[in-house]
Amino acid sequence: VCVNTGNYLGRGVEYVHNLHRMVEQHVTVPHTFCVVTDDDAGNYPDMIVKRSAYTGWWEKIRLFKRGMFTGKTVFMDLDAVILKNIDHIVTHETQFATLQDFWNKHGLGPAFILFDPDFAATLYDEWAACGFRKVGNGDQTWLEDFDQGRFKKEIDILQDLFPDEFVSYKEHCTEGKRSWRYKGKQLPPPQTARVVCFHGEPRPHEAGGWVNEYWRELEHV
């Protein structure tokens, strides 16, 4: 599952199709691909399309609404770049697993989530009970604060389950200063990396170099 509301970065269709292509290339177990969007369904002929109800990151909380999905569900941010096969990741048995924030060990980074819809439904139910209150950094703040912070201590962390397979572009693939808008010298991805997460700038379409090999829709793919 991915979410594209408000035409992400002005190139939402491109991002959805590139993520879809990477999933089809690097996930060989049976699966379906869904985009939740306010866009024209005709832009996504090879995907399941569900209509969005909220804008931006708030739609990610709605992914947990009862009836949205059945069975094992995997969410990926549009700016995830998949480098290698991830069958063992998407088939991992867990009620809920997501990333630890790459820069804050006490925070979560819900750019990649594995979840059981029945288990995760409580997240949406509580949000609805609170009047869909919009605070902080959207889904990230909600997951971090849910159940007075106990939830984030009880769920699985993907970096613990799959050490060195999820990396940050800025933290692990650039040299020098770390900041939200830093566009430093590019380094090769770690050999163990399977998913590269982009947060802040640059985004995949701006990074260039080796990122193009995986993200751009190349003729030979």
Side-chain angles (χ1 to χ4, degrees):
V1 180
C2 66
V3 172
N4 174 35
T5 62
N7 189 19
Y8 181 70
L9 299 178
R11 2 184 8 145
V13 174
E14 180 183 15
Y15 266 80
V16 172
H17 279 278
N18 280 359
L19 181 61
H20 180 228
R21 175 183 52 77
M22 287 185 286
V23 167
E24 295 309 298
Q25 184 177 0
H26 297 300
V27 176
T28 64
V29 296
H31 64 277
T32 55
F33 188 95
C34 174
V35 54
V36 180
T37 185
D38 54 7
D39 201 0
D40 184 347
N43 288 325
Y44 312 102
D46 302 323
M47 309 171 203
I48 295 171
V49 178
K50 291 181 180 284
R51 302 306 301 173
S52 61
Y54 305 104
T55 58
W57 50 37
W58 302 107
E59 187 63 32
K60 290 172 64 175
I61 304 178
R62 183 170 167 263
L63 299 180
F64 309 130
K65 184 178 181 180
R66 297 180 194 278
M68 278 289 285
F69 303 102
T70 58
K72 182 185 294 294
T73 305
V74 181
F75 165 80
M76 302 179 195
D77 268 356
L78 287 179
D79 53 7
V81 174
I82 307 172
L83 308 182
K84 302 174 184 177
N85 182 276
I86 56 172
D87 284 352
H88 64 298
I89 296 174
V90 300
T91 58
H92 181 78
E93 292 297 331
T94 180
Q95 289 185 314
F96 199 101
T98 192
L99 295 166
Q100 181 183 74
D101 190 300
F102 287 106
W103 288 349
N104 174 15
K105 67 178 182 179
H106 301 295
L108 299 178
F112 199 109
I113 308 172
L114 313 179
F115 66 95
D116 176 336
D118 292 332
F119 174 81
T122 306
L123 289 159
Y124 179 85
D125 291 345
E126 185 65 23
W127 190 49
C130 291
F132 307 104
R133 185 164 49 94
K134 298 180 178 180
V135 295
N137 290 323
D139 57 298
Q140 179 176 345
T141 299
W142 188 255
L143 295 179
E144 289 176 349
D145 293 347
F146 186 71
D147 193 21
Q148 291 78 51
R150 287 186 287 268
F151 177 77
K152 71 176 181 180
K153 297 178 181 178
E154 296 171 354
I155 62 176
D156 292 327
I157 297 298
L158 291 171
Q159 290 101 321
D160 295 337
L161 296 175
F162 309 103
D164 303 319
E165 295 187 19
F166 287 89
V167 301
S168 155
Y169 179 76
K170 280 201 286 288
E171 181 68 17
H172 302 101
C173 305
T174 59
E175 183 177 72
K177 181 182 177 183
R178 305 287 186 257
S179 72
W180 183 253
R181 297 185 180 278
Y182 178 63
K183 301 180 182 181
K185 179 182 177 182
Q186 187 180 85
L187 301 174
Q191 291 187 349
T192 57
R194 292 182 182 270
V195 178
V196 180
C197 300
F198 284 72
H199 43 105
E201 299 175 358
R203 299 298 186 180
H205 73 274
E206 303 169 319
W210 60 261
V211 177
N212 286 350
E213 177 184 347
Y214 299 94
W215 190 80
R216 297 286 182 186
E217 199 160 34
L218 304 179
E219 293 181 359
H220 68 272
V221 175

